[in-house]
């Protein structure tokens, strides 16, 4: 699969089939408490990179505010007519936030 980075977002340059794996939303996997601490000190523009979710009965967060080579942090899907869905995959007991085409 090929993605094009345009400005501060990415766009698919090839079509996807329903169920295709697109990419992983990667960053620091942190607790609810650490997420709240970082939200207090982060600039508003960085807070948008924090993805909170429930896993095994606890609230977790993936903090992708730090620039890295992961394209997942640049995804901005349409909330009204989404074309992708996050699924939580467990690898060695840790959740991974993976985006799949719908």
């Amino acid at each position: 699969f090929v993605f094009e980075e345009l400005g501060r977002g990415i766009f698919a340059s090839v079509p996807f089939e329903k169920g295709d794996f697109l990419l992983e939303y990667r960053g620091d996997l942190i607790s609810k408490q650490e997420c709240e601490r970082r939200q207090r000190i982060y600039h508003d523009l960085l807070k948008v990179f924090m993805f909170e979710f429930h896993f095994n009965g606890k609230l977790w967060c993936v903090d992708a505010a730090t620039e890295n080579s992961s394209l997942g942090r640049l995804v901005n899907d349409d909330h009204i007519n989404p074309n992708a869905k996050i699924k939580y995959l467990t690898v060695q007991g840790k959740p991974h936030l993976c985006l799949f085409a719908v």
Side-chain angles (χ1 to χ4, degrees):
F1 300 116
V2 178
F3 292 99
E4 292 180 40
E5 185 176 343
L6 299 174
R8 295 303 299 162
I10 60 169
F11 296 87
S13 60
V14 297
F16 292 100
E17 297 292 324
K18 182 178 181 176
D20 283 349
F21 170 77
L22 303 175
L23 45 78
E24 181 180 355
Y25 191 83
R26 290 186 295 181
D28 295 338
L29 179 63
I30 58 176
S31 68
K32 175 184 185 241
Q33 293 78 18
E34 179 61 13
C35 180
E36 290 171 350
R37 186 191 74 76
R38 291 183 187 190
Q39 285 179 340
R40 286 191 300 273
I41 62 174
Y42 278 5
H43 186 278
D44 287 346
L45 294 175
L46 291 178
K47 293 177 187 178
V48 300
F49 295 106
M50 301 184 84
F51 190 102
E52 295 179 57
F53 63 100
H54 285 91
F55 177 74
N56 283 347
K58 294 171 81 175
L59 185 63
W60 291 91
C61 177
V62 171
D63 178 357
T66 302
E67 292 282 341
N68 61 33
S69 61
S70 173
L71 294 177
R73 66 188 301 276
L74 302 177
V75 168
N76 187 7
D77 199 24
D78 182 343
H79 296 289
I80 296 170
N81 297 305
N83 56 18
K85 180 175 183 162
I86 289 277
K87 291 184 181 180
Y88 311 121
L89 302 180
T90 305
V91 178
Q92 296 180 345
K94 293 184 179 179
H96 291 260
L97 307 180
C98 297
L99 207 59
F100 289 87
V102 295

